Amino acid sequence: MSAFDAVANADVPVRDASTVVLLRDSDQGLETWLLTRVRGMAFAAGASVFPGGRVDEADAELPFAPGGVALTASRFGCDEARARVLLGAAVRETFEETGVLLSIPVADLSGARTDVEAGRIGFGQLLRSNDLVLDAEGLRPWSRWITPVGEVRRYDTHFFVGALPDGAEAQDVTSESSSASWVGVGAALEAAQRGERIMLPPTLATLASLVPFETVAEALAASEGRSLEAVQPKITAGPDGGYRADLPDGSSFLLPRATGGGR
């Protein structure tokens, strides 16, 4: 049964989550890292998504560089305690799913990624033992999406954009994806429109919002003017057995039948 077939249930808890739109410049223009979720996943199965996931209580205890936490709290309209958790989850999930560490100073600890993902070593422990702090200022708030009522799992997902650190290499490593790679922002959107990639509304809308920018620097600078009002799509039955996601601004997306909510 698709998550879209679930009966609306107001008792499903809405959990905080973070997503990172990792960006890099290329000769073909702006590129982002996309993972294709394995088909057996309970959430966003088969969909192309950005790195991310739900927050963990331990994310609040990670070492941070000063400055970025207050900015994130101000932009998302939350207190600094919640901002720390959101930023911590963003950096941790990016590391677990790509091996890229958004830290100060920049470091390659990808060899420890599997141990962190499996819980054999705490992310905070790894950072402190290498005298590293999280680069909170390197992540810029971009948008906020809440999973629609009716899903079996619901998230209040805070999207950040961030640049691939100099010298870092994203890797196709996480067990939660069947493939992962750098993709041109426009090319990814066109692939979804042709039906070659399954994407959910947050991913589609995020890609569309990045199309106007030619460089990472331009996209990061534009983050300051972004509206961060939470977007919660309304899912209704669409043609051909699929579903339609209607957004508050009047736009809509046709969705494939068996994906569920996602990034």
Side-chain angles (χ1 to χ4, degrees):
M1 180 179 69
S2 166
F4 291 141
D5 293 324
V7 176
N9 184 355
D11 294 332
V12 174
V14 180
R15 301 175 178 178
D16 274 334
S18 296
T19 288
V20 175
V21 185
L22 198 61
L23 300 171
R24 75 173 186 182
D25 295 319
S26 76
D27 293 340
Q28 290 73 43
L30 192 62
E31 293 184 333
T32 189
W33 185 260
L34 284 175
L35 308 96
T36 300
R37 304 262 289 178
V38 296
R39 291 284 178 177
M41 297 293 291
F43 191 76
S48 291
V49 299
F50 304 109
R54 69 184 186 186
V55 305
D56 186 282
E57 290 183 3
D59 294 327
E61 305 303 323
L62 299 175
F64 286 83
V69 174
L71 172 63
T72 295
S74 174
R75 292 286 285 123
F76 277 125
C78 63
D79 59 31
E80 291 195 15
R82 189 180 184 198
R84 289 177 67 91
V85 173
L86 295 170
L87 285 163
V91 176
R92 174 182 53 76
E93 287 284 347
T94 299
F95 179 68
E96 291 181 2
E97 297 193 342
T98 72
V100 172
L101 184 56
L102 304 171
S103 67
I104 299 174
V106 174
D108 180 5
L109 299 182
S110 57
R113 187 207 65 81
T114 302
D115 288 333
V116 172
E117 185 180 37
R120 290 187 290 268
I121 182 173
F123 188 45
Q125 177 186 352
L126 179 68
L127 293 170
R128 291 185 174 91
S129 64
N130 287 276
D131 297 320
L132 301 174
V133 294
L134 301 190
D135 183 12
E137 289 189 326
L139 288 175
R140 310 292 177 85
W142 192 257
S143 61
R144 180 181 172 195
W145 291 76
I146 298 176
T147 310
V149 172
E151 294 281 7
V152 294
R153 298 185 182 186
R154 300 187 65 208
Y155 298 97
D156 184 349
T157 305
H158 298 69
F159 280 67
F160 298 87
V161 292
L164 178 73
D166 291 339
E169 294 185 11
Q171 305 170 47
D172 179 5
V173 287
T174 178
S175 60
E176 295 184 356
S177 69
S178 58
S179 63
S181 64
W182 290 103
V183 187
V185 168
L189 193 59
E190 291 170 1
Q193 292 169 341
R194 293 193 299 267
E196 297 170 4
R197 282 182 180 267
I198 296 172
M199 289 186 189
L200 303 176
T203 312
L204 288 165
T206 299
L207 289 169
S209 70
L210 289 166
V211 167
F213 308 111
E214 297 183 359
T215 67
V216 175
E218 289 180 6
L220 295 180
S223 65
E224 297 180 5
R226 296 275 303 170
S227 169
L228 298 180
E229 182 178 354
V231 178
Q232 182 173 321
K234 180 180 179 181
I235 306 300
T236 57
D240 302 324
Y243 294 84
R244 188 181 73 237
D246 297 312
L247 305 185
D249 64 2
S251 61
S252 63
F253 296 92
L254 291 178
L255 305 175
R257 186 173 179 81
T259 56
R263 298 174 258 164

